[in-house]
């Protein structure tokens, strides 16, 4: 499959799907408190999607070599890097959790995730979540026609590593449109001027996974999906779906509850 460039109708479809994905995160936000289980978060998301008239792209999702993904979203707690499966263990004060939502509306996909702090968390955990958000934005703010994918990866890697964190290599952002995962791959590390040149109409995700400790990850092994840090250090992730416009970028996964861009971003 090759890169798809969206026309005006496609962009409109992507805007709707992106906003709806973000609104699922808004819907669950007030519920993320000590004591709630990730299965309950999943149930709330499914309820929200039903009201929206969207469907979950993750429920039953089965890339080659994987078992079908069993939930409407992913919940990745503490040292879980990504693809955590909702379960019956209550969240506790001090946990950090990434909730990753992908919805389908009229055939278009919107994919976004945020970190949530459960009650009061450690200064180190808070800092990891905040700086991972900034790392994502260091990638986004570079997006415009003529730059290369390597410029995005470089910006994210430089920021993360200069703060003493590491960038997960095994998972990356991705083109998105009428398919969940399209070309190109969007690496969160790299070298300026390398890889594909950006052109208007491209839509892709930027979703850095940043570890407090070493970059290495492994499969948990018990469910075919869950990825954890090898050294059990904390990991954080944020994700937006973005459009390359004629002059820059448009973030497609924004809604009333989206955190504002960091101060260093001039929109
Ligand atoms: N939403 C994830 C992404 O950002 C993919 C999750 S696939 C799943 O690409 F099957 F684990 F849900
Ligand atoms: Co994604
Ligand atoms: Co996602």
């Amino acid at each position: 499959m090759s890169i798809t460039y969206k026309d005006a109708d496609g962009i409109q479809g992507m805007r709707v799907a992106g906003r709806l994905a973000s609104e699922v995160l808004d819907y669950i936000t007030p519920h993320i408190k000590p004591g709630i289980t990730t299965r309950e978060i999943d149930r709330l998301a499914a309820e929200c999607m039903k009201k929206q008239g969207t469907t979950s792209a993750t429920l039953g999702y089965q890339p080659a070599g994987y078992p079908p993904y069993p939930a409407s979203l992913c919940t990745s707690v503490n040292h879980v890097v990504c693809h955590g499966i909702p379960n019956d263990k209550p969240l506790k004060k001090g946990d950090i959790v990434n909730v990753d939502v992908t919805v389908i509306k009229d055939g278009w996909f919107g994919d976004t995730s945020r970190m949530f702090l459960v009650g009061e968390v450690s200064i180190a955990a808070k800092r990891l979540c905040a700086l991972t958000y900034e790392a994502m934005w260091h990638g986004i703010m570079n997006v415009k026609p003529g730059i290369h994918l390597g410029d995005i990866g470089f910006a994210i890697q430089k920021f993360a590593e200069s703060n003493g964190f590491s960038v997960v290599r095994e998972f990356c952002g991705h083109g998105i449109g009428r398919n969940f995962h399209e070309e190109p791959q969007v690496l969160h590390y790299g070298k300026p001027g390398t890889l594909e040149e950006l052109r208007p109409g491209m839509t892709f995700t930027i979703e850095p996974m940043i570890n407090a400790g070493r970059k290495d990850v492994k499969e948990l092994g018990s469910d075919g999906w869950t990825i954890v840090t090898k050294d059990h250090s904390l990991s954080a992730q944020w994700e937006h779906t973005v459009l390359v416009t004629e002059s820059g970028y448009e973030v497609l996964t924004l809604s009333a509850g989206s955190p504002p861009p960091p101060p260093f971003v001039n929109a």
Side-chain angles (χ1 to χ4, degrees):
M1 211 202 311
S2 51
I3 296 174
T4 64
Y5 297 87
K6 281 77 182 176
D7 62 12
D9 285 351
I11 289 168
Q12 207 37 49
M14 290 296 288
R15 281 189 183 122
V16 172
R19 176 180 49 79
L20 290 166
S22 188
E23 285 178 352
V24 175
L25 292 173
D26 295 352
Y27 187 87
I28 62 168
T29 295
H31 300 277
I32 304 191
K33 292 184 283 205
I36 193 172
T37 66
T38 47
R39 197 183 302 282
E40 179 65 8
I41 296 169
D42 184 57
R43 191 196 65 72
L44 288 162
E47 173 181 287
C48 179
M49 291 179 202
K50 192 165 179 192
K51 290 188 203 179
Q52 289 179 330
T54 59
T55 55
S56 166
T58 61
L59 189 61
Y61 181 57
Q62 186 172 22
Y66 284 80
Y69 188 81
S72 296
L73 45 61
C74 300
T75 51
S76 300
V77 181
N78 295 336
H79 71 293
V80 178
V81 173
C82 63
H83 303 165
I85 298 174
N87 62 30
D88 292 315
K89 191 175 160 196
L91 294 174
K92 56 183 193 309
K93 178 165 77 77
D95 286 342
I96 59 171
V97 57
N98 172 276
V99 180
D100 191 342
V101 169
T102 312
V103 301
I104 312 170
K105 181 69 169 183
D106 298 332
W108 297 102
F109 287 65
D111 188 6
T112 185
S113 80
R114 300 181 199 157
M115 293 303 297
F116 296 88
L117 312 178
V118 182
E120 218 168 284
V121 310
S122 71
I123 288 170
K126 216 179 190 164
R127 177 170 177 269
L128 176 67
C129 295
L131 292 184
T132 301
Y133 184 64
E134 294 187 11
M136 173 184 70
W137 273 100
H138 276 286
I140 293 172
M141 68 193 272
N142 276 296
V143 170
K144 62 178 179 191
I147 74 139
H148 292 252
L149 285 173
D151 299 315
I152 298 173
F154 176 75
I156 293 169
Q157 181 180 17
K158 191 175 79 171
F159 179 76
E161 292 180 354
S162 71
N163 282 290
F165 298 140
S166 62
V167 178
V168 171
R169 303 297 203 270
E170 287 81 352
F171 300 90
C172 56
H174 48 92
I176 183 168
R178 287 196 174 277
N179 302 286
F180 196 166
H181 294 108
E182 299 183 354
E183 281 182 31
Q185 296 195 65
V186 181
L187 304 180
H188 304 114
Y189 60 94
K191 294 199 184 3
T194 64
L195 304 172
E196 187 78 22
E197 184 176 328
L198 304 194
R199 285 176 42 194
M202 288 173 74
T203 50
F204 53 81
T205 71
I206 298 181
E207 50 178 302
M209 282 143 275
I210 305 293
N211 298 346
R214 298 183 58 84
K215 68 179 187 316
D216 311 80
V217 303
K218 63 180 183 188
E219 259 193 72
L220 186 60
S222 48
D223 60 30
W225 279 102
T226 307
I227 304 295
V228 297
T229 54
K230 233 183 211 171
D231 63 7
H232 282 204
S233 64
L234 290 177
S235 187
Q237 178 177 31
W238 291 80
E239 176 175 25
H240 270 315
T241 301
V242 301
L243 164 73
V244 183
T245 65
E246 296 295 330
S247 60
Y249 65 85
E250 179 179 328
V251 177
L252 299 174
T253 37
L254 292 175
S255 59
S258 301
F264 58 77
V265 178
N266 347 263

